[in-house]
Amino acid sequence: MLLSKVVTLANVQVIIDGFAAMGFPNCGGAIDGTHIPILGPDHQGSQYINRKGYFSMVLQALVDHKGRFTNINVGWPGKVHDAHVFRNSGLFRRLQEGIYFLDHRITVGDVEMPIVILGDPAYPLMPWLMKPYTGALDTEKELFNYRLSKCRMVVECAFGRLKGRWRSLLTRSDLS
């Protein structure tokens, strides 16, 4: 009942300005996934064993510049990769259709840039999703990665606060 009141996209311009102050222009959020430990289900249990070897469900979240949740997707088995969870989410569809954010483009150099979200290397590179460069990097790419990482840390901190406040999310609940 509280989901639509607590997890909501607030004033987009304030979010963009917040990320710009942190070093990344025209950014509407940072995305990542975390694992919530669960009791192994009786059916399809192997699908819920994550890469770290325990049963879990994936919580994917988009957060604003202050680490407030603006979109969540929860319930995928722990074995499922972040990119798969993302590509099958309502958030992906709305971003792909251009309806999640208002059309607010800026020009960087000679390129028109839409509002973007920031992800780690697990996410697909899209016109509206930035991820870090990999491989041998020059100074400009290193600076880009530094700024992206600095802004993307808000989602890591948001998960830390969530699990710190709701300590039961750190260990599995022995409930069916």
Side-chain angles (χ1 to χ4, degrees), residues 9-80:
L9 184 63
N11 185 328
V12 176
Q13 190 59 52
V14 171
I15 296 169
I16 291 170
D17 293 344
F19 277 113
M22 295 169 66
F24 210 98
N26 219 33
C27 178
I31 192 167
D32 203 1
T34 189
H35 289 270
I36 307 299
I38 63 168
L39 186 64
D42 293 334
H43 65 289
Q44 298 178 332
S46 64
Q47 293 299 308
Y48 287 85
I49 299 175
N50 64 30
R51 60 184 167 78
K52 294 184 179 178
Y54 62 91
F55 293 101
S56 69
M57 269 197 264
V58 177
L59 164 64
Q60 177 188 267
L62 181 70
V63 302
D64 68 9
H65 63 292
K66 291 187 174 182
R68 294 176 293 207
F69 292 87
T70 60
N71 187 282
I72 62 169
N73 185 330
V74 67
W76 283 85
K79 188 175 187 175
V80 178

